[in-house]
Amino acid sequence: MCPCVTCFYPDVQCAPPGSEESCNAKMVPCPLVENDTILQQPADLLTLTEKYVQAAKSIIKTNADQSQPFFLYFAFQHTHQPQFASEKFTNSTLRGPFGDSLANLDWAVGEVMSTLKLYGLDDNTFVFFTSDNGPAQIHERRGGNAGLLRCGKGTTWEGGMREPAIARWPGKIKPGKTTELAATIDLFPTIARLTGAAMPNNVTIDGIDMSPFLFGNGTSDRDYYVYYSTEPVSEMGPAAVRWTHYKAHFHSKGGLSPDVYPDEVCRANYPLHYYDPPLLYDLNQDPGEIYNLKLDEHVQVMENIEKIRDYFQSTVVFGVSQVDSGVSDDAELCAKPGCSPFPSCCTTKTPSSHWDTFYRPHP
Amino acid sequence: MKCIEVTIWLFLAAVVSAKPPNMVFMLMDDMGWGDLGVYGNAAKETPNLDKMAAEGMLLPSFYSANPLCSPSRAAMLTGRLPIRNGFYSTNAHARNAYTPQNIVGGIPDSEILFPELLLQAGYATKIIGKWHLGQQPQYHPLKHGFHEWFGSPNCHFGPYNDVTTPNIPVYRNASMAGRYYTDFPINRSTGESNLTQLYIQEAVDFIHKSVGAGSPFFLYWTPDATHDPLYASKTFLRTSSRGLYGDAVRELDYGVGVILKLLTQLGVASDTLVIFSSDNGGATYAKEMGGSNGPFLCGKETTFEGGMREPTIAWWPGTVAGGTVSHQLGSMMDWFSTALDLAEIKEPDDRIIDGMSLLPILVNGTVTDRPVFYYRGDELMAVRYQMYKAHYWTWTNSIDEFNHGTDFCPGEEIANVTTHDQVNHTSQPLLFHLGRDPGEKYLIKPKTAEYIEAMKLIQPIVDEHHKTLVKGAPQLNYCDPAVMNWAPPGCEDLDQCLPVPHHDQTLCYWPH
């Protein structure tokens, strides 16, 4: 995502010369898009979150006015590198750039929630908060924190794939906590159930409806989870399988952790390792995956795990890799198609007048 | 600004003018920063502590004065670092020493414990649980500021055979009430024991009695179920997803709930400051039987964050605003000064007190810059000031111990940081930023402007500390089998006196 010029108020560069942050000048300036239109290129990061919030508010208001049910997918750029924050949140936290970015995100969540209340939609809206993967430890002090979990982004250890998740729906979801096993892929069938939409019958859906424990007093219908690596190979099968609170690792490789990271299996330079016999952990007693269990004391557990692994290995049909289909300049969004010198010529006039007229803040 | 300060002090004066408030200090044993739901534990099994935090103040940057129990507890009660109050050893460099059964020393009479001063101010005082400031009677709580005691001078290690080692006694006040395992059972195979329930009941009875008598009270509630060997009562066994350790945490959480509810029911919640914390970091060497230190490096016995950062909550409805968080760098030694402040007792001026009153923070959120000193035995290992922590010495444990399975930093190995030799970094301390890097993983390079600026702040603090330090006489150098609990006071009444062996005083061996 580069070159994004200014990341912190008033003029802190995203990738100042000599800093540890890198800027790939072969990429177009990061665009801000609305439907088919590039509104800003490069996007003004100092006001981006505010614009997102204004857009969210506008969508909520418009639909509230028309009593139209709506789905809002608010997918933040926070807290990915390069981190950024508006004036109000620059230097606002103890954690530095990452903390400021997170605080800016947190503010935006609050704005959305209060807008729902404002339009009386609070009791009729299912809100779900989560993250796409574990923290990018490669950025060291500017990376996130997986707490007591092992490793981070890019690995099949818990730190790579266990996510902070909050579900909210007053009257439908009991306040408190649940430790039921669930995954982001479970949102799909859960939403299908909520909306009465038919599940597609021509593809395999891996998600499992979360309704029993989210909206009722039931337990999760999911008792397993399958972890594939970031570069899966059909013959290798899943890297790890969780069954109830046990998790077995069959192979792993390092992710996005730096050479100085204290746990070598997380480091980017840690090559692919096969575990035969597999490594087994009890995630309830040992969420950090530190203490390998004796397999001869967990024969039934391993049988169940092997069954799940074999099932996936024998039935999963890999889709055509989209990542392997290569890269092309044509795929990059450019405000002035065909301009030169590419890619730095891909810019809009700033500020965008369209933005100012369309997304004027609501009083 | 001046005006605001005056207002605050007037308010504080109003708070303490009528009758000084009650104090309940709950100190856990080996519980880690990451064990509470409110501090991010994934099991989320501490509803009462989470509620306590929601109704009170969370203090995420709060430290014990030492990574081991005895020195930590002695420092809390004296308001002074162990290097000053004598709770350390000089037998070998930078060793953690404590008070096992055969320790000769204990808390010196020359030290002033804050409950001694609270007595003078008319407080009823009681300790429930583990004392750990000395085994011999002259060191016991009733000689050092407490009216009442139910608990033990030691951890609940055992069972012993009463021949080579006596079982550890449990006291009621100045006399023993029995011994662990024989009279106060702990089933080592199932982990069942009702000790936490006894400690909860003792607290309930003491609070009832003190409220009835109308005197202010200080309760030091310090159960030890989360210290190895772990235990929980039948009702709580196998109720936690975390295993026996979690069972123990759940029962303690329940106890916190009982005590807070009672204070509310008796109408004294608004007159009572309740503090929850732990004596040192989670015992990472105990593996699944130890606590969680959350994102922090290593654990108990070390001067990394996992060894000394404690899960701290303050609760005082009507005075401490609910749901607040203070990043004040706090120390357990601050409870000394806070207690005296609340009771309007002048701090002793004939000695250095390392604590500071937390009242301005609790009442008004006013944060004050101050350093945190991380000692291991006789050595100042590290210093934190603001967000920076500089390690002058690093050590986990010896490679020999490590190779025999004792690992203070499981799953964590940072070159030049988690060292198995004692490494002196004094000429160029290792520096971390604990805001951006709470896990102490990413060293700040010495040539950077950030390093130079931070060390400009920290080095003068360290120099001044060394220059002015008057070390107390070390109390934890000598061990003797004759001082073990063979014949504690009151053993005659129970017919439990064991023959005392001959004196054989030697230097204690402290391996790490």
Side-chain angles (χ1 to χ4, degrees), chain B residues 32-65:
Chain B
W33 191 93
D35 279 326
L36 278 53
V38 68
Y39 278 110
N41 189 277
K44 290 279 280 174
E45 291 177 341
T46 54
N48 292 294
L49 285 161
D50 299 354
K51 182 163 176 271
M52 180 182 179
E55 295 168 358
M57 179 181 276
L58 200 65
L59 295 143
S61 302
F62 214 89
Y63 292 88
S64 64

Short mmCIF file of all heavy atoms in Angstrom, two decimals, chain B residues 32-65:
data_model
loop_
_atom_site.label_atom_id
_atom_site.label_comp_id
_atom_site.label_asym_id
_atom_site.label_seq_id
_atom_site.Cartn_x
_atom_site.Cartn_y
_atom_site.Cartn_z
N GLY B 32 -0.74 -14.65 37.82
CA GLY B 32 -0.11 -13.84 36.78
C GLY B 32 -1.01 -12.71 36.31
O GLY B 32 -2.22 -12.74 36.50
N TRP B 33 -0.40 -11.75 35.68
CA TRP B 33 -1.12 -10.58 35.11
C TRP B 33 -2.20 -11.05 34.15
O TRP B 33 -3.26 -10.45 34.05
CB TRP B 33 -0.11 -9.69 34.40
CG TRP B 33 -0.56 -8.33 33.98
CD1 TRP B 33 -0.43 -7.17 34.68
CD2 TRP B 33 -1.17 -7.96 32.74
NE1 TRP B 33 -0.92 -6.11 33.97
CE2 TRP B 33 -1.38 -6.55 32.76
CE3 TRP B 33 -1.56 -8.67 31.60
CZ2 TRP B 33 -1.95 -5.85 31.70
CZ3 TRP B 33 -2.14 -7.97 30.55
CH2 TRP B 33 -2.34 -6.58 30.61
N GLY B 34 -1.93 -12.14 33.43
CA GLY B 34 -2.86 -12.57 32.38
C GLY B 34 -3.90 -13.56 32.84
O GLY B 34 -4.54 -14.19 32.01
N ASP B 35 -4.09 -13.72 34.15
CA ASP B 35 -5.03 -14.74 34.63
C ASP B 35 -6.46 -14.24 34.76
O ASP B 35 -7.38 -15.04 34.92
CB ASP B 35 -4.57 -15.27 36.00
CG ASP B 35 -3.48 -16.32 35.86
OD1 ASP B 35 -3.53 -17.07 34.87
OD2 ASP B 35 -2.60 -16.39 36.72
N LEU B 36 -6.66 -12.93 34.72
CA LEU B 36 -7.99 -12.38 34.93
C LEU B 36 -8.66 -12.10 33.58
O LEU B 36 -8.00 -11.65 32.65
CB LEU B 36 -7.91 -11.07 35.72
CG LEU B 36 -7.80 -11.14 37.24
CD1 LEU B 36 -6.68 -12.03 37.70
CD2 LEU B 36 -7.63 -9.74 37.82
N GLY B 37 -9.97 -12.34 33.54
CA GLY B 37 -10.70 -12.02 32.32
C GLY B 37 -10.48 -10.58 31.92
O GLY B 37 -10.23 -10.27 30.76
N VAL B 38 -10.52 -9.68 32.91
CA VAL B 38 -10.42 -8.26 32.61
C VAL B 38 -9.01 -7.91 32.10
O VAL B 38 -8.82 -6.90 31.43
CB VAL B 38 -10.82 -7.41 33.84
CG1 VAL B 38 -9.80 -7.57 34.96
CG2 VAL B 38 -11.00 -5.95 33.48
N TYR B 39 -8.03 -8.77 32.38
CA TYR B 39 -6.69 -8.57 31.83
C TYR B 39 -6.44 -9.45 30.61
O TYR B 39 -5.30 -9.71 30.24
CB TYR B 39 -5.62 -8.82 32.91
CG TYR B 39 -5.39 -7.63 33.81
CD1 TYR B 39 -5.79 -7.63 35.14
CD2 TYR B 39 -4.77 -6.49 33.32
CE1 TYR B 39 -5.57 -6.53 35.96
CE2 TYR B 39 -4.54 -5.39 34.13
CZ TYR B 39 -4.95 -5.41 35.45
OH TYR B 39 -4.73 -4.32 36.25
N GLY B 40 -7.54 -9.95 30.00
CA GLY B 40 -7.40 -10.59 28.70
C GLY B 40 -7.27 -12.10 28.70
O GLY B 40 -7.00 -12.69 27.67
N ASN B 41 -7.51 -12.76 29.84
CA ASN B 41 -7.42 -14.22 29.81
C ASN B 41 -8.50 -14.80 28.91
O ASN B 41 -9.67 -14.45 29.01
CB ASN B 41 -7.52 -14.81 31.21
CG ASN B 41 -7.22 -16.28 31.19
OD1 ASN B 41 -8.07 -17.10 30.89
ND2 ASN B 41 -5.98 -16.62 31.45
N ALA B 42 -8.09 -15.73 28.04
CA ALA B 42 -9.01 -16.26 27.04
C ALA B 42 -10.14 -17.07 27.67
O ALA B 42 -11.23 -17.17 27.10
CB ALA B 42 -8.24 -17.13 26.05
N ALA B 43 -9.90 -17.67 28.86
CA ALA B 43 -10.96 -18.48 29.47
C ALA B 43 -12.07 -17.61 30.05
O ALA B 43 -13.20 -18.07 30.18
CB ALA B 43 -10.36 -19.37 30.57
N LYS B 44 -11.79 -16.37 30.38
CA LYS B 44 -12.79 -15.43 30.92
C LYS B 44 -13.58 -16.08 32.06
O LYS B 44 -14.80 -16.19 32.01
CB LYS B 44 -13.74 -14.98 29.81
CG LYS B 44 -13.12 -14.08 28.77
CD LYS B 44 -13.03 -12.65 29.20
CE LYS B 44 -14.34 -11.90 29.04
NZ LYS B 44 -14.25 -10.53 29.59
N GLU B 45 -12.88 -16.51 33.08
CA GLU B 45 -13.54 -17.23 34.16
C GLU B 45 -13.52 -16.46 35.49
O GLU B 45 -13.65 -17.06 36.55
CB GLU B 45 -12.87 -18.60 34.35
CG GLU B 45 -13.14 -19.53 33.18
CD GLU B 45 -12.43 -20.88 33.31
OE1 GLU B 45 -11.46 -20.97 34.09
OE2 GLU B 45 -12.85 -21.81 32.62
N THR B 46 -13.33 -15.16 35.44
CA THR B 46 -13.27 -14.38 36.67
C THR B 46 -14.33 -13.29 36.70
O THR B 46 -14.02 -12.11 36.73
CB THR B 46 -11.86 -13.75 36.83
OG1 THR B 46 -11.58 -12.99 35.62
CG2 THR B 46 -10.79 -14.79 37.01
N PRO B 47 -15.61 -13.67 36.71
CA PRO B 47 -16.68 -12.67 36.62
C PRO B 47 -16.66 -11.66 37.77
O PRO B 47 -16.97 -10.49 37.58
CB PRO B 47 -17.96 -13.50 36.64
CG PRO B 47 -17.57 -14.83 37.23
CD PRO B 47 -16.14 -15.05 36.82
N ASN B 48 -16.28 -12.12 38.98
CA ASN B 48 -16.30 -11.20 40.12
C ASN B 48 -15.18 -10.17 40.05
O ASN B 48 -15.38 -9.01 40.39
CB ASN B 48 -16.23 -12.01 41.42
CG ASN B 48 -17.49 -12.82 41.63
OD1 ASN B 48 -18.57 -12.28 41.83
ND2 ASN B 48 -17.36 -14.14 41.51
N LEU B 49 -14.01 -10.62 39.62
CA LEU B 49 -12.90 -9.67 39.46
C LEU B 49 -13.16 -8.73 38.30
O LEU B 49 -12.83 -7.54 38.37
CB LEU B 49 -11.59 -10.44 39.26
CG LEU B 49 -11.04 -11.07 40.54
CD1 LEU B 49 -10.05 -12.18 40.24
CD2 LEU B 49 -10.41 -10.01 41.43
N ASP B 50 -13.77 -9.25 37.25
CA ASP B 50 -14.09 -8.39 36.11
C ASP B 50 -15.10 -7.32 36.53
O ASP B 50 -15.00 -6.16 36.12
CB ASP B 50 -14.64 -9.23 34.96
CG ASP B 50 -13.63 -10.27 34.45
OD1 ASP B 50 -12.47 -10.23 34.92
OD2 ASP B 50 -14.00 -11.10 33.62
N LYS B 51 -16.03 -7.73 37.39
CA LYS B 51 -17.03 -6.77 37.90
C LYS B 51 -16.36 -5.75 38.83
O LYS B 51 -16.67 -4.56 38.78
CB LYS B 51 -18.13 -7.54 38.64
CG LYS B 51 -19.26 -6.71 39.18
CD LYS B 51 -20.46 -7.59 39.52
CE LYS B 51 -21.59 -6.81 40.16
NZ LYS B 51 -21.47 -6.73 41.63
N MET B 52 -15.45 -6.26 39.65
CA MET B 52 -14.70 -5.37 40.56
C MET B 52 -14.00 -4.28 39.75
O MET B 52 -14.00 -3.10 40.11
CB MET B 52 -13.68 -6.18 41.35
CG MET B 52 -12.84 -5.39 42.33
SD MET B 52 -11.64 -6.48 43.16
CE MET B 52 -10.80 -5.28 44.22
N ALA B 53 -13.41 -4.68 38.61
CA ALA B 53 -12.72 -3.71 37.76
C ALA B 53 -13.72 -2.75 37.13
O ALA B 53 -13.47 -1.54 37.03
CB ALA B 53 -11.92 -4.43 36.68
N ALA B 54 -14.88 -3.26 36.74
CA ALA B 54 -15.89 -2.41 36.12
C ALA B 54 -16.41 -1.37 37.11
O ALA B 54 -16.80 -0.28 36.73
CB ALA B 54 -17.04 -3.27 35.60
N GLU B 55 -16.38 -1.74 38.39
CA GLU B 55 -16.86 -0.81 39.42
C GLU B 55 -15.72 -0.01 40.04
O GLU B 55 -15.95 0.84 40.90
CB GLU B 55 -17.56 -1.60 40.54
CG GLU B 55 -18.83 -2.30 40.07
CD GLU B 55 -19.36 -3.30 41.10
OE1 GLU B 55 -18.74 -3.47 42.17
OE2 GLU B 55 -20.41 -3.90 40.82
N GLY B 56 -14.49 -0.32 39.64
CA GLY B 56 -13.33 0.33 40.25
C GLY B 56 -12.31 0.75 39.22
O GLY B 56 -12.65 1.08 38.09
N MET B 57 -11.05 0.72 39.64
CA MET B 57 -9.97 1.19 38.78
C MET B 57 -9.02 0.04 38.46
O MET B 57 -8.58 -0.69 39.34
CB MET B 57 -9.19 2.32 39.46
CG MET B 57 -8.02 2.85 38.64
SD MET B 57 -7.12 4.16 39.51
CE MET B 57 -8.12 5.59 39.08
N LEU B 58 -8.71 -0.10 37.17
CA LEU B 58 -7.76 -1.09 36.72
C LEU B 58 -6.38 -0.43 36.67
O LEU B 58 -6.24 0.68 36.16
CB LEU B 58 -8.18 -1.57 35.32
CG LEU B 58 -7.64 -2.89 34.80
CD1 LEU B 58 -8.17 -4.05 35.63
CD2 LEU B 58 -8.05 -3.08 33.34
N LEU B 59 -5.36 -1.11 37.18
CA LEU B 59 -4.01 -0.55 37.21
C LEU B 59 -3.06 -1.50 36.47
O LEU B 59 -2.38 -2.32 37.08
CB LEU B 59 -3.57 -0.35 38.67
CG LEU B 59 -4.40 0.70 39.43
CD1 LEU B 59 -4.65 0.31 40.86
CD2 LEU B 59 -3.74 2.06 39.35
N PRO B 60 -3.01 -1.38 35.13
CA PRO B 60 -2.26 -2.37 34.34
C PRO B 60 -0.74 -2.24 34.46
O PRO B 60 -0.04 -3.14 34.04
CB PRO B 60 -2.69 -2.08 32.89
CG PRO B 60 -3.79 -1.08 32.97
CD PRO B 60 -3.66 -0.39 34.28
N SER B 61 -0.25 -1.15 35.00
CA SER B 61 1.21 -0.97 35.09
C SER B 61 1.65 -0.99 36.55
O SER B 61 2.36 -0.10 37.02
CB SER B 61 1.63 0.34 34.42
OG SER B 61 1.23 0.33 33.08
N PHE B 62 1.21 -2.01 37.23
CA PHE B 62 1.46 -2.11 38.66
C PHE B 62 2.45 -3.24 38.93
O PHE B 62 2.33 -4.32 38.37
CB PHE B 62 0.15 -2.37 39.40
CG PHE B 62 0.14 -1.73 40.74
CD1 PHE B 62 -0.31 -0.43 40.88
CD2 PHE B 62 0.59 -2.41 41.85
CE1 PHE B 62 -0.30 0.19 42.12
CE2 PHE B 62 0.61 -1.80 43.10
CZ PHE B 62 0.16 -0.50 43.23
N TYR B 63 3.42 -3.00 39.81
CA TYR B 63 4.53 -3.94 40.02
C TYR B 63 4.64 -4.40 41.46
O TYR B 63 4.36 -3.65 42.40
CB TYR B 63 5.85 -3.26 39.63
CG TYR B 63 5.96 -3.01 38.15
CD1 TYR B 63 5.47 -1.83 37.59
CD2 TYR B 63 6.53 -3.96 37.31
CE1 TYR B 63 5.55 -1.61 36.22
CE2 TYR B 63 6.63 -3.74 35.96
CZ TYR B 63 6.13 -2.57 35.41
OH TYR B 63 6.21 -2.36 34.07
N SER B 64 5.08 -5.64 41.61
CA SER B 64 5.54 -6.09 42.92
C SER B 64 6.97 -5.57 43.09
O SER B 64 7.62 -5.20 42.11
CB SER B 64 5.52 -7.62 43.02
OG SER B 64 6.43 -8.17 42.09
N ALA B 65 7.44 -5.56 44.33
CA ALA B 65 8.78 -5.02 44.58
C ALA B 65 9.85 -6.05 44.32
O ALA B 65 11.04 -5.74 44.37
CB ALA B 65 8.88 -4.51 46.02
#
